Amino acid sequence: HIKSNYIYFNIVKDELNKSDKELEVNSSKNEKINIKKISLNNLNYSYGKNTIYKNFNLDLLSNNKFFLWGDTGSGKSTLLDIISGLNISFDGNLILNDEIKLTHENINFLRDRVSYSTQNPFIFEDSIKENIILFDHSPDTEKLNKILKITKVDEILKNKKIDLEEKITEKGINFSGGEKQRINIARSLYKDFDILILDESTNSLNEKIEMEIINNIIRYCDNKILIVCSHNFSLKKYFSSDLCIDKSKIN
């Protein structure tokens, strides 16, 4: 299989090398800049014949904590992919701190400053610790321990009578869906970020634990941009701002 797809491996390799070079150049230009504001100006996005966004404007500021909600298929995940720099196939402007216009050439700067957690976490076969720190050769122990408490991963360890060196088996079958989500959120928090996005990433947790973790994250993300997307409308009361994506009003 590898041999028959060798040409495609090379294409991916070339693209990754190109992205690394672009990231190095643009990061050196903006390495001292923290994202305090991200703006979407006159966003237009269509999927096939369906208009998802038309002349859409949005400002996201640090210190604001946003609760994103709306019907299934309304475009919430599309919006999050655009804000995080994963989707750049749109018309309009994406601007940082009122001065940096993001383009194909510098989009990696945004991607590097975003931490994104989804409802289907990727858990790989290694220790719990490595799944969180992602092979950081000089891990910040104090930071890690704080994050374990914020996400209640420490309770997983206590209840299972295991430690951080416990191996996660293939596809994480020795952990429940909610436990894997907590490990994944811990990974997102461990990364240095200016923008944290949680897209239904607590939907497998019971309501009590979910609310406790969300409140912990809100406090942890002081001076950061936090966006939480959830169908659990009871979480809305904990956020300073909410954004409803109403598909019927897009056009």
Side-chain angles (χ1 to χ4, degrees):
H1 283 296
I2 293 175
K3 185 176 180 180
S4 63
N5 289 284
Y6 185 71
I7 184 173
Y8 303 109
F9 281 107
N10 278 327
I11 291 173
V12 172
K13 178 184 175 183
D14 291 342
E15 286 297 319
L16 289 174
N17 286 337
K18 179 181 177 183
S19 294
D20 285 342
K21 291 178 181 178
E22 291 175 352
L23 181 60
E24 182 178 352
V25 170
N26 289 296
S27 292
S28 63
K29 293 178 180 178
N30 302 299
E31 61 183 355
K32 295 183 179 180
I33 298 176
N34 292 322
I35 298 175
K36 296 296 184 182
K37 180 180 180 181
I38 181 167
S39 301
L40 286 167
N41 295 338
N42 298 318
L43 171 68
N44 292 284
Y45 182 82
S46 299
Y47 183 77
K49 295 182 180 180
N50 298 317
T51 299
I52 309 300
Y53 290 101
K54 184 176 181 180
N55 297 326
F56 182 79
N57 297 283
L58 178 66
D59 289 330
L60 301 171
L61 303 172
S62 61
N63 289 322
N64 287 149
K65 309 298 180 271
F66 295 88
F67 181 76
L68 176 64
W69 57 285
D71 294 333
T72 300
S74 60
K76 300 187 299 297
S77 291
T78 297
L79 178 63
L80 295 179
D81 285 346
I82 291 172
I83 292 171
S84 63
L86 294 177
N87 186 336
I88 55 177
S89 59
F90 60 89
D91 292 325
N93 295 318
L94 189 58
I95 300 173
L96 301 182
N97 300 343
D98 290 326
E99 58 181 353
I100 303 173
K101 182 178 179 180
L102 293 170
T103 65
H104 286 74
E105 287 70 34
N106 63 4
I107 194 67
N108 276 332
F109 172 69
L110 171 62
R111 292 170 179 165
D112 191 50
R113 303 304 305 160
V114 173
S115 204
Y116 198 156
S117 178
T118 68
Q119 62 180 314
N120 298 310
F122 174 73
I123 302 296
F124 54 89
E125 292 180 68
D126 210 305
S127 68
I128 298 173
K129 182 177 181 180
E130 294 298 346
N131 266 275
I132 295 173
I133 68 173
L134 291 180
F135 309 103
D136 181 355
H137 297 300
S138 301
D140 186 331
T141 303
E142 183 179 350
K143 178 181 179 181
L144 176 60
N145 289 333
K146 183 176 182 179
I147 288 170
L148 293 178
K149 291 180 180 179
I150 289 171
T151 57
K152 295 187 174 293
V153 172
D154 61 339
E155 293 187 3
I156 297 176
L157 304 180
K158 181 179 179 180
N159 294 335
K160 287 181 173 287
K161 298 180 180 179
I162 58 177
D163 58 28
L164 285 174
E165 301 304 325
E166 180 76 12
K167 297 291 183 180
I168 297 179
T169 58
E170 183 178 3
K171 297 181 181 179
I173 59 175
N174 56 333
F175 289 84
S176 69
E179 289 170 341
K180 287 186 284 189
Q181 284 190 336
R182 281 191 263 177
I183 292 170
N184 188 56
I185 295 170
R187 178 195 300 162
S188 299
L189 294 179
Y190 186 81
K191 174 186 175 182
D192 289 329
F193 63 87
D194 291 328
I195 303 171
L196 175 64
I197 297 174
L198 304 181
D199 186 5
E200 296 288 352
S201 56
T202 58
N203 65 356
S204 293
L205 304 178
N206 69 54
E207 187 171 351
K208 180 177 181 294
I209 291 177
E210 181 182 30
M211 288 186 175
E212 289 176 355
I213 291 177
I214 289 297
N215 272 309
N216 289 343
I217 291 172
I218 289 173
R219 288 192 292 269
Y220 182 77
C221 289
D222 189 33
N223 296 317
K224 308 286 187 181
I225 297 173
L226 172 64
I227 309 170
V228 173
C229 177
S230 176
H231 283 94
N232 184 359
F233 196 68
S234 63
L235 295 175
K236 177 178 175 291
K237 61 186 177 184
Y238 299 113
F239 292 80
S240 56
S241 304
D242 73 286
L243 176 63
C244 175
I245 303 299
D246 187 344
K247 192 173 183 179
S248 65
K249 297 180 180 179
I250 294 296
N251 296 319

